[in-house]
Amino acid sequence: MEPADELRLAIIGLGKIARDRHLGAIAGIPGLRLVATADPRSSLTGVPAFPSLEALLASGTGFDAVALCTPSQIRARLAAGALRAGKHVLLEKPPGATVAEIAPLLELARRKGRSLHASWHSRHAPAVEPARSMLASRRIRAVRIEWMEDVRRWHPGQDWIWEPGGLGVFDPGINALSILTRILPQPVFLTGADLLFPGNRSAPIAADLRFTDAHGLDGSAAFDWRPQGPENWTIRVDTEEGSLTIEGGGRRLLEGERLLLEEPKAEYDAIYRHFAALARSGECDVDLAPLVHVADAFLLGRRMLVEDFA
């Protein structure tokens, strides 16, 4: 793909996240064009629609890349099919249902000379890079994460998210972990977790994590899908020089009580600009650190039963 070329995109999976975030970002960036969708139950007026990726590939429709917005449980199979067909691949978060299934995709992408991008939209929030710069030279003492939202608002009727591989409350919680693994100067690792499962579901509705680093960091995270009031997406980092707090999922940055930054988020615009640059260069960008922490939580986590979810 030459720098001046148009990147022709197909969206695979035309659900809530595709409609809420991907479509607007694609439409607003010069050099990107949506040329097809693939979904067995949904379509867009004026855009060629197919019931599956396989049907799209068989149609002969010209396109360069796919954005996989399907449930995570089927994403690896679809990514492999697209890469074998010579397409660049953008993976919504989480990149897959398991950690190990991503390595073969990365090997396939490199063998085909195609780009594979495991996107973490929250890393593109406006407070993230300033926080990363400020923390680079500070001695960090503690981290406290609170990530609370109402599952009925953000995932209405999405049964797949409660199935194995759907992650449950870690679907939003992994956003916090993607920020954490970007802003801290030292890697962290989990030391324990409590996972709260509704009696009628196969994925947790809440989770409490404990983590540390090589220097004895005191870290904790609380994820919960049960609150029905305003969302609380907050990361507080206590250092020897004072505290930094990321609020609103990355919209605001405070040092102590002083507001340093407050900006609207345009995360998916940034994702697609980055993906287009990767496609031009044929490079890959796949960081699995947030997914590794989720996998570790399931390895270490104590399972606790709570009331059924209805």
Coordinates of all heavy atoms in Angstrom, one line a residue, residues 134-177:
M134 N 4.8 11.8 32.9 CA 5.0 12.3 34.2 C 5.4 11.2 35.2 O 6.2 11.4 36.1 CB 3.7 12.9 34.8 CG 3.3 14.2 34.0 SD 1.8 14.9 34.6 CE 2.3 15.6 36.2
L135 N 5.0 9.9 34.9 CA 5.3 8.8 35.8 C 6.7 8.2 35.5 O 7.2 7.4 36.3 CB 4.2 7.7 35.7 CG 2.9 8.1 36.3 CD1 1.8 7.0 36.0 CD2 3.0 8.4 37.8
A136 N 7.2 8.5 34.3 CA 8.4 7.9 33.9 C 9.6 8.0 34.9 O 10.4 7.1 35.0 CB 8.8 8.4 32.5
S137 N 9.7 9.1 35.6 CA 10.8 9.4 36.5 C 10.4 9.4 37.9 O 11.2 9.8 38.8 CB 11.4 10.7 36.1 OG 10.5 11.8 36.2
R138 N 9.2 9.0 38.3 CA 8.7 9.1 39.6 C 8.8 7.7 40.3 O 8.6 6.6 39.7 CB 7.3 9.6 39.7 CG 7.1 11.0 39.2 CD 5.8 11.6 39.5 NE 5.6 12.9 39.0 CZ 4.6 13.7 39.3 NH1 3.7 13.3 40.2 NH2 4.5 15.0 38.9
R139 N 8.9 7.7 41.6 CA 8.9 6.5 42.4 C 7.5 6.2 42.8 O 6.8 7.0 43.5 CB 9.8 6.7 43.7 CG 9.6 5.6 44.7 CD 10.2 4.2 44.2 NE 10.2 3.3 45.3 CZ 10.5 2.0 45.2 NH1 10.9 1.5 44.0 NH2 10.5 1.2 46.2
I140 N 6.9 5.2 42.3 CA 5.5 4.9 42.5 C 5.3 4.0 43.8 O 5.9 3.0 43.9 CB 4.9 4.2 41.3 CG1 5.0 5.1 40.1 CG2 3.4 3.8 41.5 CD1 4.7 4.5 38.7
R141 N 4.3 4.4 44.6 CA 4.1 3.7 45.8 C 2.8 2.8 45.7 O 2.8 1.7 46.2 CB 3.8 4.7 47.0 CG 5.1 5.4 47.4 CD 4.7 6.5 48.4 NE 5.9 7.1 49.0 CZ 5.9 8.1 49.8 NH1 4.8 8.6 50.2 NH2 7.0 8.6 50.3
A142 N 1.8 3.3 45.1 CA 0.5 2.5 45.1 C -0.3 2.9 43.9 O -0.2 4.0 43.3 CB -0.3 2.8 46.4
V143 N -1.2 2.0 43.5 CA -2.1 2.2 42.4 C -3.5 1.7 42.8 O -3.6 0.6 43.4 CB -1.7 1.5 41.1 CG1 -2.8 1.7 40.0 CG2 -0.4 2.0 40.6
R144 N -4.5 2.5 42.6 CA -5.9 2.1 43.0 C -6.8 2.4 41.7 O -6.8 3.5 41.2 CB -6.5 2.9 44.1 CG -5.7 2.7 45.4 CD -6.0 1.3 46.0 NE -5.2 1.1 47.3 CZ -4.1 0.5 47.3 NH1 -3.5 0.0 46.2 NH2 -3.4 0.3 48.5
I145 N -7.4 1.3 41.3 CA -8.3 1.4 40.1 C -9.7 1.1 40.5 O -10.0 0.1 41.3 CB -7.9 0.4 39.0 CG1 -6.5 0.7 38.5 CG2 -8.9 0.4 37.9 CD1 -5.9 -0.4 37.6
E146 N -10.7 1.9 40.1 CA -12.1 1.7 40.2 C -12.7 1.8 38.9 O -12.6 2.8 38.2 CB -12.8 2.6 41.2 CG -12.3 2.4 42.7 CD -13.1 3.3 43.6 OE1 -13.8 4.2 43.1 OE2 -12.9 3.1 44.8
W147 N -13.3 0.7 38.4 CA -13.9 0.7 37.0 C -15.3 0.1 37.2 O -15.5 -1.1 37.2 CB -13.0 -0.2 36.1 CG -12.8 0.4 34.7 CD1 -13.4 -0.1 33.6 CD2 -11.9 1.4 34.4 NE1 -12.9 0.7 32.5 CE2 -12.0 1.6 33.0 CE3 -11.1 2.3 35.1 CZ2 -11.3 2.5 32.3 CZ3 -10.4 3.2 34.4 CH2 -10.5 3.4 33.0
M148 N -16.3 1.0 37.3 CA -17.7 0.6 37.6 C -18.6 1.1 36.5 O -18.6 2.3 36.1 CB -18.1 1.2 38.9 CG -17.0 1.1 40.0 SD -16.9 -0.6 40.6 CE -15.7 -0.4 42.0
E149 N -19.5 0.2 36.0 CA -20.4 0.7 35.0 C -21.6 -0.3 35.0 O -21.5 -1.4 35.6 CB -19.8 0.7 33.6 CG -19.3 -0.6 33.1 CD -18.7 -0.5 31.7 OE1 -17.8 0.4 31.5 OE2 -19.1 -1.2 30.8
D150 N -22.7 0.1 34.4 CA -23.9 -0.8 34.4 C -23.9 -1.6 33.1 O -24.0 -1.1 32.0 CB -25.1 0.2 34.3 CG -26.5 -0.6 34.4 OD1 -26.4 -1.8 34.3 OD2 -27.5 0.1 34.4
V151 N -23.8 -2.9 33.3 CA -23.7 -3.8 32.1 C -25.0 -3.7 31.2 O -24.9 -3.9 30.0 CB -23.6 -5.3 32.6 CG1 -24.7 -5.8 33.4 CG2 -23.3 -6.2 31.4
R152 N -26.1 -3.4 31.8 CA -27.4 -3.3 31.0 C -27.3 -2.1 30.1 O -28.0 -2.2 29.0 CB -28.6 -3.2 31.9 CG -28.8 -4.5 32.7 CD -30.0 -4.3 33.7 NE -30.3 -5.5 34.4 CZ -29.6 -6.0 35.5 NH1 -28.6 -5.2 36.0 NH2 -30.0 -7.1 36.1
R153 N -26.6 -1.1 30.4 CA -26.5 0.1 29.5 C -25.5 -0.2 28.4 O -25.7 0.1 27.3 CB -26.1 1.3 30.3 CG -25.8 2.5 29.4 CD -25.3 3.7 30.2 NE -25.0 4.8 29.3 CZ -24.4 5.9 29.6 NH1 -24.1 6.2 30.9 NH2 -24.1 6.9 28.8
W154 N -24.3 -0.8 28.8 CA -23.2 -0.9 27.8 C -23.2 -2.2 27.0 O -22.6 -2.3 25.9 CB -21.9 -0.7 28.6 CG -21.7 0.6 29.1 CD1 -22.0 1.0 30.4 CD2 -21.4 1.8 28.4 NE1 -21.8 2.4 30.5 CE2 -21.4 2.9 29.3 CE3 -21.0 2.1 27.1 CZ2 -21.1 4.2 28.9 CZ3 -20.7 3.4 26.7 CH2 -20.7 4.4 27.6
H155 N -23.9 -3.2 27.5 CA -23.9 -4.5 26.8 C -25.4 -5.1 26.8 O -25.6 -6.2 27.2 CB -23.0 -5.5 27.4 CG -21.5 -5.0 27.3 ND1 -20.8 -5.2 26.2 CD2 -20.7 -4.4 28.2 CE1 -19.6 -4.7 26.4 NE2 -19.5 -4.2 27.6
P156 N -26.3 -4.3 26.3 CA -27.7 -4.8 26.4 C -27.9 -6.0 25.5 O -27.6 -6.0 24.3 CB -28.5 -3.6 25.8 CG -27.6 -2.8 25.0 CD -26.2 -3.0 25.6
G157 N -28.4 -7.1 26.1 CA -28.8 -8.3 25.3 C -27.6 -9.1 24.7 O -27.9 -9.9 23.9
Q158 N -26.4 -8.8 25.2 CA -25.2 -9.5 24.6 C -24.9 -10.7 25.4 O -24.1 -10.7 26.3 CB -24.1 -8.5 24.5 CG -24.3 -7.3 23.6 CD -23.1 -6.4 23.5 OE1 -22.0 -6.7 24.0 NE2 -23.3 -5.3 22.8
D159 N -25.5 -11.8 25.0 CA -25.3 -13.1 25.8 C -23.9 -13.6 25.7 O -23.4 -14.3 26.6 CB -26.3 -14.1 25.3 CG -27.8 -13.8 25.8 OD1 -27.9 -13.0 26.7 OD2 -28.7 -14.3 25.1
W160 N -23.3 -13.4 24.5 CA -22.0 -13.9 24.3 C -20.9 -13.5 25.3 O -20.0 -14.2 25.6 CB -21.5 -13.5 22.9 CG -21.3 -12.1 22.7 CD1 -22.2 -11.2 22.1 CD2 -20.1 -11.3 22.9 NE1 -21.7 -9.9 22.1 CE2 -20.4 -10.0 22.6 CE3 -18.9 -11.6 23.5 CZ2 -19.5 -8.9 22.7 CZ3 -17.9 -10.6 23.6 CH2 -18.2 -9.2 23.2
I161 N -21.2 -12.3 25.9 CA -20.2 -11.7 26.8 C -20.2 -12.4 28.1 O -19.2 -12.3 28.9 CB -20.4 -10.2 26.9 CG1 -19.1 -9.5 27.2 CG2 -21.5 -9.9 28.0 CD1 -19.2 -8.0 27.0
W162 N -21.2 -13.2 28.4 CA -21.3 -14.0 29.6 C -20.8 -15.4 29.4 O -20.8 -16.2 30.4 CB -22.7 -14.1 30.1 CG -23.3 -12.7 30.5 CD1 -24.1 -11.9 29.8 CD2 -23.0 -12.0 31.7 NE1 -24.4 -10.8 30.5 CE2 -23.7 -10.8 31.7 CE3 -22.2 -12.3 32.8 CZ2 -23.7 -9.9 32.8 CZ3 -22.2 -11.4 33.9 CH2 -22.9 -10.2 33.8
E163 N -20.4 -15.8 28.2 CA -19.9 -17.1 27.9 C -18.4 -17.2 28.1 O -17.7 -16.2 28.1 CB -20.3 -17.5 26.5 CG -21.9 -17.6 26.3 CD -22.5 -18.7 27.2 OE1 -21.9 -19.8 27.3 OE2 -23.6 -18.4 27.7
P164 N -17.9 -18.5 28.2 CA -16.4 -18.6 28.2 C -15.8 -17.9 27.1 O -16.2 -18.1 25.9 CB -16.2 -20.1 28.2 CG -17.5 -20.7 28.8 CD -18.6 -19.8 28.3
G165 N -14.7 -17.1 27.3 CA -14.1 -16.4 26.3 C -14.6 -15.0 26.1 O -14.0 -14.1 25.5
G166 N -15.8 -14.7 26.7 CA -16.4 -13.4 26.6 C -15.9 -12.4 27.6 O -16.2 -11.2 27.5
L167 N -15.3 -12.9 28.6 CA -14.6 -12.1 29.6 C -15.5 -11.5 30.7 O -15.0 -11.1 31.8 CB -13.8 -11.0 29.0 CG -12.6 -11.4 28.1 CD1 -11.7 -10.1 27.9 CD2 -11.8 -12.5 28.7
G168 N -16.8 -11.4 30.5 CA -17.6 -10.8 31.6 C -17.1 -9.4 31.9 O -16.8 -8.6 31.0
V169 N -17.0 -9.1 33.2 CA -16.7 -7.7 33.6 C -15.3 -7.3 33.2 O -14.9 -6.1 33.2 CB -16.8 -7.6 35.2 CG1 -15.6 -8.3 35.9 CG2 -16.9 -6.1 35.6
F170 N -14.4 -8.3 32.8 CA -13.1 -7.9 32.2 C -13.2 -7.3 30.9 O -12.2 -6.8 30.4 CB -12.2 -9.2 32.2 CG -11.7 -9.5 33.6 CD1 -12.3 -10.6 34.3 CD2 -10.7 -8.8 34.2 CE1 -11.8 -11.0 35.5 CE2 -10.2 -9.2 35.4 CZ -10.8 -10.2 36.1
D171 N -14.4 -7.4 30.2 CA -14.5 -6.7 28.9 C -14.3 -5.2 29.1 O -13.4 -4.6 28.4 CB -15.8 -6.9 28.3 CG -16.0 -6.3 26.9 OD1 -15.5 -6.8 25.9 OD2 -16.5 -5.2 26.9
P172 N -14.9 -4.5 30.1 CA -14.5 -3.1 30.4 C -13.3 -3.1 31.2 O -12.4 -2.1 31.1 CB -15.7 -2.6 31.2 CG -16.4 -3.8 31.8 CD -16.2 -4.9 30.8
G173 N -13.1 -4.0 32.2 CA -11.9 -4.0 33.0 C -10.6 -4.0 32.3 O -9.6 -3.4 32.7
I174 N -10.6 -4.7 31.1 CA -9.3 -4.7 30.4 C -9.0 -3.3 29.8 O -7.8 -3.1 29.5 CB -9.5 -5.8 29.2 CG1 -8.1 -6.3 28.9 CG2 -10.2 -5.2 28.0 CD1 -8.1 -7.5 27.9
N175 N -9.9 -2.4 29.7 CA -9.6 -1.1 29.3 C -8.7 -0.4 30.4 O -7.8 0.3 30.0 CB -10.9 -0.2 29.1 CG -11.7 -0.7 28.0 OD1 -11.2 -1.3 27.0 ND2 -13.0 -0.5 28.1
A176 N -9.1 -0.6 31.6 CA -8.2 -0.1 32.7 C -6.8 -0.7 32.7 O -5.8 0.0 32.9 CB -8.9 -0.3 34.1
L177 N -6.8 -2.0 32.4 CA -5.5 -2.7 32.4 C -4.7 -2.2 31.2 O -3.4 -2.2 31.3 CB -5.7 -4.2 32.3 CG -6.4 -4.8 33.6 CD1 -6.7 -6.3 33.4 CD2 -5.5 -4.6 34.8

